[in-house]
Amino acid sequence: MKKLSYPVAFAAASVMETMAGLSRDGREPRLTKAMVGMLGRSQTLDIRAAQHELGYSPRVSVAAGLDAFAKWWRNEHGK
């Protein structure tokens, strides 16, 4: 797979979205600006403010949540 810079990928997604919008076949674009935004930037989130200001405490750890999701995915998709 060839790597693209963020600006090139975003421009390509813009073109693909426009072409999909003009198309009458109803297919979604292979690449969207939302996809580029999600995949092209760090998605690390920090809950420290919620913990400090709201007293938030997660009921499930990240590791346990990922494990549960993986089990669910395998059950739903048979892999």
Side-chain angles (χ1 to χ4, degrees):
M1 179 183 293
K2 185 174 179 161
K3 292 183 179 183
L4 297 175
S5 69
Y6 188 88
V8 171
F10 195 85
S14 295
V15 170
M16 290 181 188
E17 285 183 3
T18 300
M19 291 173 57
L22 296 173
S23 174
R24 295 180 189 263
D25 62 12
R27 288 188 288 171
E28 295 289 326
R30 288 183 169 261
L31 184 66
T32 65
K33 293 182 282 189
M35 286 181 209
V36 172
M38 286 183 267
L39 298 173
R41 301 283 189 224
S42 174
Q43 297 294 316
T44 302
L45 304 175
D46 187 346
I47 65 169
R48 285 182 290 189
Q51 289 172 319
H52 181 264
E53 294 175 25
L54 304 173
Y56 172 73
S57 178
R59 290 185 271 173
V60 177
S61 70
V62 172
L66 289 173
D67 185 52
F69 173 75
K71 287 177 184 174
W72 171 84
W73 184 268
R74 284 191 296 271
N75 186 48
E76 291 293 315
H77 299 280
K79 294 183 181 185

